[in-house]
């Protein structure tokens, strides 16, 4: 839909908060519509991974203080992340600075191609037998990435670090990201929070 104003208008005024999981122009539309109603994005909204993206900065100051989750450490001062950002943007400069390398999608595509290239090197380009050697190699690959180590579990789901990030004002008064919490080695069970027998509903598991 392009009419997010009518959806935003249905949010009760007495809610503790809500999670936004849109992306791109949809995210910008929802954030602008909600802030126009007088709602506080920083106090009432949590952003999903595609919401915590530089594209949302078009909303402006109402974003200041907004927190959310991300598989990449946006705004981190860790050397692996800053080297990646600086290296990528020295070849592919973007405005505002950091907006390309700081995108969730850029980092994850980078990681995916990195894994493929390392896998191909390890099997010397052998794609015979329906790529069986490459698949086995990728399943056991221990990948070092700008956002931390990545491995695959027995279901080929990624085990990765997860981050709580916040949109803040930098020293120049511009919107920027800050990583405020890191949880390492998060698996498909969310560190045991879910199990194969979990029955996931609106009310379970309890928060």
């Amino acid at each position: 839909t392009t009419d997010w104003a009518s959806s935003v208008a249905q949010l009760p005024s007495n809610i503790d908060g809500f999670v936004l999981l849109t992306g791109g122009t949809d995210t910008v539309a929802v954030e602008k519509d909600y802030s126009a109603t007088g709602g506080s994005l920083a106090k009432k909204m949590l952003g999903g991974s595609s919401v915590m993206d530089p594209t949302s900065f078009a909303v402006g100051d109402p974003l200041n203080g907004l927190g959310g989750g991300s598989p990449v450490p946006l705004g981190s001062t860790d050397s692996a992340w800053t080297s990646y950002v600086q290296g990528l943007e020295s070849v592919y400069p973007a405005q505002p600075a950091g907006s390309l390398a700081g995108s969730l999608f850029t980092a994850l595509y980078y990681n995916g191609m990195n894994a493929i290239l390392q896998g191909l090197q390890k099997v010397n380009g052998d794609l015979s037998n329906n790529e069986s050697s490459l698949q086995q190699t990728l399943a056991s690959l221990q990948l070092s990435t700008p956002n931390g180590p990545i491995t695959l579990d027995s279901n080929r789901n990624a085990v990765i670090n997860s981050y709580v990030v916040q949109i803040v004002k930098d020293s120049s008064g511009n919107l920027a990201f800050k990583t405020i919490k890191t949880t390492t080695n998060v698996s498909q069970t969310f560190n045991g929070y879910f199990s194969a027998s979990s029955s996931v509903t609106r009310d379970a598991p309890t928060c």
Side-chain angles (χ1 to χ4, degrees), residues 43-188:
K43 294 180 179 179
K44 291 290 188 177
M45 194 180 94
L46 288 175
S49 57
S50 58
V51 170
M52 307 306 289
D53 190 85
T55 54
S56 67
F57 287 0
V59 175
D61 287 352
L63 286 178
N64 188 26
L66 174 66
S70 178
V72 295
L74 300 169
S76 172
T77 57
D78 180 81
S79 60
W81 179 255
T82 57
S83 294
Y84 156 76
V85 170
Q86 293 167 4
L88 184 68
E89 296 220 335
S90 68
V91 180
Y92 302 104
Q95 291 296 329
S99 59
L100 176 62
S103 169
L104 157 82
F105 303 102
T106 305
L108 298 189
Y109 289 139
Y110 174 90
N111 292 345
M113 181 54 69
N114 192 9
I116 292 295
L117 293 175
Q118 287 192 34
L120 287 170
Q121 288 179 333
K122 289 180 180 294
V123 301
N124 296 313
D126 180 9
L127 299 179
S128 61
N129 299 316
N130 292 320
E131 306 171 2
S132 59
S133 294
L134 177 61
Q135 292 179 26
Q136 292 174 15
T137 297
L138 291 175
S140 60
L141 187 67
Q142 297 184 4
L143 190 67
S144 295
T145 79
N147 48 302
I150 299 178
T151 58
L152 299 181
D153 64 16
S154 58
N155 291 325
R156 295 188 177 87
N157 285 316
V159 179
I160 64 172
N161 293 351
S162 289
Y163 305 91
V164 177
V165 298
Q166 187 177 36
I167 297 176
V168 297
K169 290 285 191 74
D170 64 17
S171 58
S172 300
N174 299 314
L175 291 176
F177 286 109
K178 178 175 71 173
T179 295
I180 59 177
K181 183 177 177 62
T182 302
T183 302
T184 59
N185 299 319
V186 178
S187 69
Q188 63 178 342

Side-chain angles (χ1 to χ4, degrees), residues 11-76:
L11 289 170
S13 59
N14 61 345
I15 57 173
D16 292 330
F18 66 100
V19 178
L20 183 62
L21 302 175
T22 55
T25 55
D26 287 341
T27 294
V28 172
V30 173
E31 291 171 336
K32 284 184 174 180
D33 288 337
Y34 186 69
S35 61
T37 68
S40 171
L41 295 174
K43 294 180 179 179
K44 291 290 188 177
M45 194 180 94
L46 288 175
S49 57
S50 58
V51 170
M52 307 306 289
D53 190 85
T55 54
S56 67
F57 287 0
V59 175
D61 287 352
L63 286 178
N64 188 26
L66 174 66
S70 178
V72 295
L74 300 169
S76 172

